[in-house]
Each structure stands twice: as structure tokens, then as C-alpha cells.
């Protein structure tokens, strides 16, 4: 696996200063003001690379690219890279050689943006390392867990109730909810009556469209039609309006004269 890993470059800064720092006298941290900032001990190029889960801070010559020192970093923040307490442009790194010896030196950047890029490159790398570790741990846990067998065993069946089909016990299935296109009436209020909407009367146009046309008479029936017309002549004449008398009570004398003479009858009424 180590042979398959390749080295990737995370950050390159062309100007970095290296300082020899005094040993730490307390646990308060390093202070850049204790260094000789105007007289750096070495000046060159800084390159941050990664190989697998380990990051490397390499100090190289600006012209030839010869390695001056490197600091392997297993986790960040940590003892391999520390910030100073009085500035954001200076750091303390732990360099190591091939024999296992180590020393602490100070590095500093002239531009504050270079120091920011150096810090962010290390943070992004170890954030990715943390995510890879969590993913590999979850995959290992999933492999060790017993797998859930959802297949049917021999002779195993399953029953489904679909739509309005009758259930196994013979009961009716739940009625389907009325759709948007169907006509549904709201249930009556408690103790009330259901009012049926009135049926509108048919329009005159609909009645006219349903009138049965008169039968068409044939040539042989013309004589019968003429007879019927002759019979209807006097009836039509008799139906002429008669002028009503202006006097509602009429002429009593005329009415009495028009009646036939009858024998006088005895009456107890007194005539006036």
C-alpha cells in the first residue's frame, strides 16, 4: 500500500525565513519577539506535500531546489507545528532527519496571506484524513454486522389487499374516497334532515324540441279532412264573442214579458 501512495503538493511559498529559537522556558508558548526577526538564519522556499495521511513541510533552496530540512506532520494542530502567541505570521515546526534526530526551528512569512495559505493547507489535509478514517471505520462495521436476509424462505407466501377487494374474513373493504369528478353530498348535521336539491323545470326550448310534429296526410285522406273542415265551420261561427249587456241586472220588464203566461199562484207575499 505504501508503494501505491503518491506525493501531492498542497502549498508552495517562494519566500520563507528560518530562525534559531531559544529553548522554551515555560508552558505559555513561543513568542516571535524573542527571535532576531531582522536577521534570519536561512531564507528559501517552503513546500507543503502529502503522502497518504502524512503531511510534510519541506524547506528547499530557491534556485537548486535542494532540501534543507523537512518536518513530517501526523496530525494538526499538534507538536509538529505550533503557532506563536504574539503573531499570525510565525510558526514553530519540528524538523527530523533520517537518523531520528529532531529539532525545533522558527519559520516566518513576510506576507500575512502566505501564512494564511500555509495554515489552511494543513487544515484541509487533516480534515480529509478525518473523513477517510470515519468512512473506512463505517465500512468495517458494516462488514462485521450480520446481513439482513429479506428473501422468501421455502414455502413462505405473502398476502396483499388491493383496492376494494374483499378481505380474507369476508368483510367489505373500506370504501374509496370520492374523486374530484364525482358528486358527493356532505353528511347531515346531528339531528337535521337531508335537503335534496330541487330539480329545475325544463326550459321552453327543450319542450319545443320534444313536441311531436302533426301527422302528414296522404292523398286518400283529403276527403275526410274536407269533411272535418266543413264540420268545424259552424262551430267556429258559434264561438264568436257575444256582446255582454251593459246592465248586469237586465230589464226585469222585458224578462217578465218574455216568460210564458202562467196561472197566478197564491202567495203570502205582499205586493208593493
Amino acid at each position: 500500500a505504501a508503494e501505491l501512495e503518491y506525493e501531492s503538493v498542497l502549498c508552495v511559498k517562494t519566500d520563507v525565513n528560518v530562525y534559531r529559537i531559544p529553548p522554551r522556558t515555560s508552558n505559555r508558548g513561543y513568542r516571535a519577539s524573542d527571535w532576531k526577526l531582522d536577521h534570519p538564519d536561512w531564507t528559501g522556499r517552503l513546500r507543503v506535500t502529502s503522502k497518504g495521511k502524512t503531511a510534510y513541510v519541506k524547506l528547499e533552496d530557491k534556485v537548486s531546489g535542494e532540501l534543507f530540512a523537512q518536518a513530517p506532520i501526523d496530525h494538526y494542530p499538534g507538536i509538529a507545528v505550533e503557532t506563536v502567541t504574539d503573531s499570525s505570521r510565525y510558526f514553530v515546526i519540528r524538523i527530523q532527519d533520517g537518523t531520528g534526530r529532531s529539532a525545533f526551528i522558527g519559520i516566518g512569512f513576510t506576507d500575512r496571506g502566505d501564512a494564511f495559505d500555509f495554515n489552511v493547507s494543513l487544515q484541509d489535509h487533516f480534515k480529509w484524513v478525518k473523513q477517510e478514517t470515519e468512512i473506512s471505520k463505517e465500512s468495517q462495521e458494516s462488514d462485521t454486522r450480520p446481513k439482513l436476509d429479506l428473501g422468501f424462505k421455502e414455502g413462505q407466501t405473502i398476502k396483499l389487499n388491493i383496492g376494494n377487494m374483499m378481505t380474507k374474513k369476508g368483510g367489505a373493504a373500506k370504501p374509496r374516497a370520492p374523486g374530484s369528478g364525482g358528486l358527493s353530498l356532505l353528511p347531515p348535521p346531528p339531528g337535521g334532515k337531508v335537503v335534496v336539491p330541487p330539480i329545475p323545470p325544463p326550459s321552453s326550448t327543450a319542450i319545443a324540441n320534444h313536441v311531436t310534429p302533426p301527422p302528414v296526410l296522404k292523398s286518400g285522406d283529403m276527403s275526410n279532412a274536407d269533411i272535418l273542415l266543413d264540420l268545424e265551420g259552424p262551430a267556429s261561427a258559434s264561438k264568436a264573442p257575444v256582446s255582454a249587456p251593459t246592465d248586469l241586472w237586465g230589464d226585469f220588464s222585458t224578462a217578465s214579458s218574455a216568460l210564458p203566461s202562467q196561472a197566478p199562484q197564491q202567495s203570502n207575499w205582499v205586493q208593493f
Side-chain angles (χ1 to χ4, degrees):
E3 294 178 357
L4 296 176
E5 293 177 351
Y6 60 91
E7 185 179 22
S8 60
V9 178
L10 304 179
C11 178
V12 176
K13 295 301 173 182
T14 58
D15 191 8
V16 63
N17 298 323
V18 176
Y19 304 91
R20 291 182 181 179
I21 60 176
R24 182 187 299 182
T25 58
S26 65
N27 293 330
R28 293 182 302 175
Y30 295 97
R31 292 175 57 88
S33 58
D34 298 336
W35 309 343
K36 298 178 181 180
L37 300 179
D38 297 336
H39 301 85
D41 296 296
W42 185 84
T43 301
R45 179 181 67 185
L46 179 141
R47 194 158 59 98
V48 181
T49 62
S50 65
K51 189 174 184 180
K53 296 182 179 181
T54 305
Y56 297 89
V57 177
K58 297 184 177 182
L59 302 175
E60 300 172 344
D61 187 83
K62 291 182 179 180
V63 180
S64 62
E66 182 180 359
L67 182 63
F68 173 74
Q70 71 175 0
I73 305 171
D74 297 331
H75 57 276
Y76 180 79
I79 193 174
V81 178
E82 298 181 49
T83 58
V84 297
T85 59
D86 57 347
S87 178
S88 62
R89 296 187 293 115
Y90 297 92
F91 302 86
V92 176
I93 62 174
R94 183 184 62 184
I95 59 174
Q96 293 180 353
D97 58 3
T99 60
R101 295 182 302 176
S102 62
F104 291 92
I105 61 173
I107 61 173
F109 300 94
T110 306
D111 189 0
R112 197 177 299 275
D114 294 343
F116 177 80
D117 295 340
F118 169 74
N119 190 18
V120 169
S121 63
L122 293 176
Q123 290 180 355
D124 292 343
H125 171 72
F126 287 100
K127 186 183 297 183
W128 170 82
V129 170
K130 183 179 179 180
Q131 293 176 354
E132 288 292 323
T133 304
E134 292 177 354
I135 292 173
S136 60
K137 186 183 297 184
E138 290 178 359
S139 61
Q140 290 177 1
E141 291 178 356
S142 61
D143 293 339
T144 56
R145 294 174 186 171
K147 295 183 179 180
L148 182 61
D149 186 10
L150 299 177
F152 287 98
K153 305 298 186 296
E154 184 177 359
Q156 186 178 4
T157 58
I158 187 171
K159 296 180 181 179
L160 298 176
N161 293 330
I162 302 174
N164 293 330
M165 296 177 63
M166 301 298 290
T167 58
K168 183 178 179 182
K169 296 182 180 179
K174 295 181 180 179
R176 297 176 59 186
S180 59
L183 179 62
S184 62
L185 298 177
L186 295 176
K193 297 182 180 180
V194 179
V195 178
V196 181
I199 301 176
S203 61
S204 59
T205 306
I207 296 174
N209 294 334
H210 291 80
V211 172
T212 306
V216 180
L217 298 177
K218 297 182 181 180
S219 60
D221 299 336
M222 293 300 293
S223 59
N224 297 330
D226 296 336
I227 294 172
L228 294 175
L229 293 175
D230 294 337
L231 293 176
E232 292 176 358
S236 61
S238 63
K239 293 180 180 179
V242 179
S243 60
T246 57
D247 190 359
L248 298 177
W249 295 99
D251 192 358
F252 290 100
S253 61
T254 305
S256 61
S257 63
L259 294 174
S261 60
Q262 296 180 358
Q265 297 180 0
Q266 296 295 328
S267 177
N268 293 328
W269 292 92
V270 178
Q271 296 183 356
F272 293 97

